[in-house]
Amino acid sequence: MNDIKKITVLEKVFPDNCSGCRLCQAICSFEHEGSFAPWLARIIVIEKDFRETTPHTCNLCEEPVCIACCPFDALSKSSENGTIILDEKNCTGCGRCVRECQYKAIVFDDERMIPLICNLCGGNPKCVDVCPRGVLSLSNKT
């Protein structure tokens, strides 16, 4: 397996510098879906008490619960970069992976009935590139 990288939220700047602009979600949905539809983004910005925003994306778990809980073997882990791969023909849209993810990092596309999981944009996450305050970064997974 190659070096595993993941998207992280820089602790030294978070939460003070995360404005909750959701530009990361907009560019993510455009990259993957061809439209600016934040609800189809693979990164989720959760707002708490109208003051604090927290970006969430796949944590690239060592033993992903989303894979283990899928009764239809629709999810697997990439041997190249550790991201989660969806086999759409095996996915029934049960949503169990979304409910079981402890990081709340999986979005469910209600129209196509499939989970949407960050794939790091092939190694160059667009959300990291566009974050105007540098809150997101791509770093080695520890």
Short mmCIF file of all heavy atoms in Angstrom, two decimals, residues 3 12 30 36 44 48 54 61-62 69-70 86 90 93-94 99 108 132 138 140-141:
data_model
loop_
_atom_site.label_atom_id
_atom_site.label_comp_id
_atom_site.label_asym_id
_atom_site.label_seq_id
_atom_site.Cartn_x
_atom_site.Cartn_y
_atom_site.Cartn_z
N ASP A 3 1.79 5.40 0.54
CA ASP A 3 1.56 6.28 1.68
C ASP A 3 0.10 6.70 1.71
O ASP A 3 -0.44 7.13 0.71
CB ASP A 3 2.42 7.53 1.58
CG ASP A 3 3.88 7.23 1.83
OD1 ASP A 3 4.18 6.19 2.44
OD2 ASP A 3 4.71 8.05 1.41
N LYS A 12 -4.46 24.11 14.66
CA LYS A 12 -4.01 25.42 15.11
C LYS A 12 -4.86 26.57 14.56
O LYS A 12 -4.80 27.66 15.07
CB LYS A 12 -2.56 25.63 14.73
CG LYS A 12 -2.30 25.65 13.24
CD LYS A 12 -0.84 25.80 12.94
CE LYS A 12 -0.64 25.76 11.44
NZ LYS A 12 0.73 25.73 11.07
N PHE A 30 -19.06 19.93 -7.41
CA PHE A 30 -18.79 20.25 -8.81
C PHE A 30 -17.78 19.27 -9.39
O PHE A 30 -17.95 18.80 -10.53
CB PHE A 30 -18.28 21.69 -8.95
CG PHE A 30 -18.12 22.09 -10.39
CD1 PHE A 30 -19.23 22.40 -11.15
CD2 PHE A 30 -16.87 22.14 -10.98
CE1 PHE A 30 -19.10 22.75 -12.49
CE2 PHE A 30 -16.73 22.48 -12.31
CZ PHE A 30 -17.84 22.79 -13.07
N PHE A 36 -22.93 22.58 -8.65
CA PHE A 36 -22.68 23.14 -7.32
C PHE A 36 -23.85 22.77 -6.42
O PHE A 36 -24.83 23.52 -6.32
CB PHE A 36 -22.47 24.65 -7.40
CG PHE A 36 -21.21 25.02 -8.13
CD1 PHE A 36 -21.27 25.55 -9.41
CD2 PHE A 36 -19.97 24.81 -7.54
CE1 PHE A 36 -20.10 25.87 -10.09
CE2 PHE A 36 -18.80 25.14 -8.22
CZ PHE A 36 -18.86 25.66 -9.49
N ILE A 44 -18.56 17.17 4.53
CA ILE A 44 -19.75 17.66 5.21
C ILE A 44 -19.32 18.74 6.20
O ILE A 44 -18.38 18.55 6.96
CB ILE A 44 -20.44 16.52 5.99
CG1 ILE A 44 -20.77 15.36 5.04
CG2 ILE A 44 -21.68 17.01 6.71
CD1 ILE A 44 -21.05 14.06 5.75
N LYS A 48 -22.79 23.99 14.47
CA LYS A 48 -23.25 23.76 15.84
C LYS A 48 -23.54 25.11 16.48
O LYS A 48 -22.68 26.01 16.50
CB LYS A 48 -22.18 23.01 16.62
CG LYS A 48 -22.55 22.71 18.04
CD LYS A 48 -21.42 21.96 18.72
CE LYS A 48 -21.76 21.75 20.19
NZ LYS A 48 -20.62 21.15 20.90
N THR A 54 -17.79 22.59 11.62
CA THR A 54 -16.79 21.53 11.61
C THR A 54 -16.86 20.75 10.31
O THR A 54 -17.87 20.10 10.04
CB THR A 54 -17.03 20.56 12.79
OG1 THR A 54 -17.12 21.30 14.00
CG2 THR A 54 -15.91 19.54 12.89
N CYS A 61 -10.47 4.94 8.02
CA CYS A 61 -10.30 4.05 9.18
C CYS A 61 -9.46 2.82 8.80
O CYS A 61 -9.54 2.33 7.67
CB CYS A 61 -11.65 3.57 9.69
SG CYS A 61 -12.77 4.90 10.17
N GLU A 62 -8.69 2.33 9.75
CA GLU A 62 -7.93 1.11 9.53
C GLU A 62 -8.86 -0.06 9.22
O GLU A 62 -8.60 -0.86 8.34
CB GLU A 62 -7.07 0.79 10.76
CG GLU A 62 -5.89 1.72 10.94
CD GLU A 62 -4.88 1.63 9.81
OE1 GLU A 62 -4.59 0.51 9.35
OE2 GLU A 62 -4.40 2.70 9.39
N CYS A 69 -20.14 -3.30 7.88
CA CYS A 69 -21.59 -3.36 8.10
C CYS A 69 -22.37 -3.57 6.81
O CYS A 69 -23.58 -3.81 6.85
CB CYS A 69 -22.08 -2.12 8.82
SG CYS A 69 -22.20 -0.65 7.79
N CYS A 70 -21.72 -3.48 5.67
CA CYS A 70 -22.45 -3.60 4.40
C CYS A 70 -22.73 -5.09 4.12
O CYS A 70 -21.80 -5.87 3.90
CB CYS A 70 -21.64 -3.01 3.25
SG CYS A 70 -22.49 -3.17 1.65
N LEU A 86 -16.89 2.35 -3.83
CA LEU A 86 -18.27 1.86 -3.92
C LEU A 86 -18.45 1.07 -5.21
O LEU A 86 -18.14 1.55 -6.29
CB LEU A 86 -19.26 3.04 -3.90
CG LEU A 86 -20.72 2.68 -4.19
CD1 LEU A 86 -21.29 1.81 -3.08
CD2 LEU A 86 -21.55 3.93 -4.39
N ASN A 90 -23.55 -3.51 -6.59
CA ASN A 90 -23.85 -4.30 -5.39
C ASN A 90 -24.62 -3.50 -4.34
O ASN A 90 -25.17 -4.08 -3.41
CB ASN A 90 -22.57 -4.82 -4.76
CG ASN A 90 -21.97 -5.97 -5.53
OD1 ASN A 90 -22.60 -6.51 -6.45
ND2 ASN A 90 -20.75 -6.35 -5.20
N GLY A 93 -28.69 0.55 -1.58
CA GLY A 93 -29.18 1.82 -1.05
C GLY A 93 -29.78 1.71 0.33
O GLY A 93 -30.59 2.54 0.72
N CYS A 94 -29.36 0.71 1.08
CA CYS A 94 -29.92 0.52 2.42
C CYS A 94 -29.50 1.63 3.37
O CYS A 94 -30.18 1.89 4.37
CB CYS A 94 -29.53 -0.85 2.98
SG CYS A 94 -27.78 -1.04 3.42
N ARG A 99 -25.34 5.35 8.39
CA ARG A 99 -25.74 5.34 9.80
C ARG A 99 -24.61 4.85 10.71
O ARG A 99 -24.47 5.32 11.83
CB ARG A 99 -26.97 4.46 9.99
CG ARG A 99 -28.23 5.02 9.38
CD ARG A 99 -29.47 4.22 9.77
NE ARG A 99 -29.41 2.82 9.37
CZ ARG A 99 -29.75 2.36 8.17
NH1 ARG A 99 -30.17 3.18 7.24
NH2 ARG A 99 -29.68 1.07 7.89
N PHE A 108 -25.59 10.52 1.82
CA PHE A 108 -26.42 9.61 1.04
C PHE A 108 -27.13 10.41 -0.04
O PHE A 108 -27.79 11.40 0.23
CB PHE A 108 -27.45 8.91 1.94
CG PHE A 108 -28.12 7.77 1.26
CD1 PHE A 108 -27.46 6.57 1.06
CD2 PHE A 108 -29.42 7.89 0.80
CE1 PHE A 108 -28.07 5.52 0.42
CE2 PHE A 108 -30.04 6.83 0.16
CZ PHE A 108 -29.36 5.64 -0.03
N PRO A 132 -10.34 28.95 1.57
CA PRO A 132 -9.74 30.29 1.58
C PRO A 132 -8.94 30.60 2.84
O PRO A 132 -8.13 31.52 2.84
CB PRO A 132 -10.95 31.22 1.45
CG PRO A 132 -12.09 30.44 1.96
CD PRO A 132 -11.79 29.00 1.65
N LEU A 138 -3.99 18.21 3.25
CA LEU A 138 -3.79 16.81 2.95
C LEU A 138 -2.48 16.40 3.60
O LEU A 138 -1.43 16.96 3.31
CB LEU A 138 -3.71 16.59 1.43
CG LEU A 138 -3.59 15.14 0.97
CD1 LEU A 138 -4.84 14.34 1.33
CD2 LEU A 138 -3.36 15.08 -0.53
N ASN A 140 -0.14 13.08 5.75
CA ASN A 140 0.02 11.65 5.95
C ASN A 140 -0.84 11.19 7.09
O ASN A 140 -0.93 11.86 8.13
CB ASN A 140 1.48 11.31 6.24
CG ASN A 140 2.35 11.46 5.02
OD1 ASN A 140 1.90 11.21 3.90
ND2 ASN A 140 3.57 11.89 5.22
N LYS A 141 -1.47 10.04 6.89
CA LYS A 141 -2.29 9.47 7.94
C LYS A 141 -1.38 8.87 8.98
O LYS A 141 -0.44 8.16 8.66
CB LYS A 141 -3.22 8.40 7.38
CG LYS A 141 -4.15 7.85 8.39
CD LYS A 141 -5.16 6.93 7.74
CE LYS A 141 -6.17 6.62 8.76
NZ LYS A 141 -6.52 5.63 9.33
#
